[in-house]
Amino acid sequence: MLAQVEGKESRRVLKSIEPIRKAAGGVREMDVMIVNARKLARYVAGDSLTRLLEHLQIARQQNAEVLRRVLGRRRNTARENLKQYSRFIQTALAPEKHAASLHGLPARSHEGVHSAASKVVRELGEWPPFNAENIHAFRLKVKELRYILQLSADADSGLVETLGNVQRRIGDWHDWQQLEEIARELLNMERDGALLTRIGETSGRRFKQALTAANTLRGKYLTVPFAQGI
């Protein structure tokens, strides 16, 4: 079934929603960074944090305006494409559900899910040693695998939970890393050293937590025997 929906219908709906997704992502990133920055108020005195927050608020407003413009242009098309795609999926699934109910067998779509999951597991198992340059891309693959497994009723719940933890840990680090990059561009060590140091230390701790979660996933679930059994 997965092969049937990976054609022009999928490409059409993805093309229509991608600009909205990207614009909304920009707003979400600023929201998260603002929340993280506010957590530092108890540790840092002075105006360094005020200037950083003001910068983030302005960036958030700009991103929100971009989102409003994109929605104004693309909302109707995206909504209609999503409706059409939903009907298409329901039609594609209907024969398999009917066959399963007649013969008492799992729907063939389960085979597609397991095949897709096995492919991603192999890719994750072959991942090079983790570092700050490749761990975010690893998170995207983890996210893909988690979503695939959620399509299957017999998915390993422990694996799904572990994938979710890895996704959150790496995402948390990535948010702090982005905040650190913005802070280092906006502020300077001589005037704002206390804040920059605190952000850097927090980002470093989050990275260690992300590494621990990713290596736990690798050691428990991404070995060759497990990958072959997906």
Side-chain angles (χ1 to χ4, degrees):
M1 190 280 292
L2 291 177
Q4 295 176 15
V5 300
E6 291 177 352
K8 62 181 181 180
E9 292 83 4
S10 296
R11 292 192 294 271
R12 182 187 300 115
V13 73
L14 288 174
K15 183 177 180 179
S16 66
I17 65 175
E18 180 63 12
I20 299 174
R21 186 197 66 80
K22 290 180 65 175
V27 176
R28 176 264 173 200
E29 288 173 359
M30 288 300 118
D31 284 341
V32 172
M33 281 190 274
I34 289 170
V35 170
N36 285 342
R38 285 175 175 164
K39 293 176 182 177
L40 301 171
R42 70 181 69 178
Y43 306 109
V44 181
D47 71 337
S48 301
L49 185 56
T50 299
R51 286 183 286 117
L52 177 59
L53 283 168
E54 288 175 348
H55 176 83
L56 295 174
Q57 291 283 7
I58 291 171
R60 201 268 182 199
Q61 292 171 4
Q62 293 171 341
N63 288 348
E65 181 56 35
V66 171
L67 177 58
R68 281 192 289 269
R69 291 199 299 267
V70 171
L71 283 172
R73 294 194 303 267
R74 297 180 177 271
R75 179 190 290 112
N76 293 337
T77 299
R79 181 185 293 119
E80 183 57 32
N81 284 342
L82 284 168
K83 288 180 180 178
Q84 292 179 3
Y85 193 66
S86 177
R87 291 193 292 268
F88 173 76
I89 292 295
Q90 291 173 1
T91 301
L93 286 174
E96 295 180 358
K97 289 182 178 178
H98 181 62
S101 65
L102 287 178
H103 303 291
L105 299 173
R108 291 195 307 274
S109 59
H110 291 176
E111 297 177 5
V113 169
H114 286 298
S115 175
S118 296
K119 178 177 180 296
V120 180
V121 167
R122 286 193 296 271
E123 292 176 7
L124 292 174
E126 296 169 356
W127 210 266
F130 298 121
N131 56 48
E133 283 68 45
N134 68 21
I135 198 169
H136 184 62
F138 182 81
R139 176 186 181 271
L140 298 180
K141 276 294 176 182
V142 164
K143 183 178 180 181
E144 179 183 348
L145 177 59
R146 181 166 170 255
Y147 287 169
I148 291 172
L149 292 178
Q150 287 175 335
L151 296 174
S152 175
D154 60 351
D156 186 325
S157 60
L159 173 57
V160 173
E161 182 178 354
T162 301
L163 292 169
N165 182 56
V166 173
Q167 187 180 333
R168 287 189 297 273
R169 292 293 188 182
I170 300 177
D172 188 30
W173 162 73
H174 188 252
D175 292 332
W176 279 98
Q177 182 201 42
Q178 289 186 305
L179 179 61
E180 183 179 12
E181 290 177 357
I182 291 174
R184 293 195 179 280
E185 290 180 4
L186 178 68
L187 308 175
N188 66 79
M189 186 59 70
E190 182 178 353
R191 180 180 178 183
D192 311 298
L195 177 58
L196 289 172
T197 299
R198 189 75 193 190
I199 294 174
E201 290 174 348
T202 305
S203 177
R205 287 196 302 272
R206 296 297 195 275
F207 183 61
K208 290 180 180 179
Q209 292 169 354
L211 282 177
T212 298
N215 282 316
T216 297
L217 171 67
R218 168 174 277 170
K220 187 173 182 179
Y221 289 107
L222 301 182
T223 59
V224 173
F226 181 85
Q228 292 175 341
I230 282 286

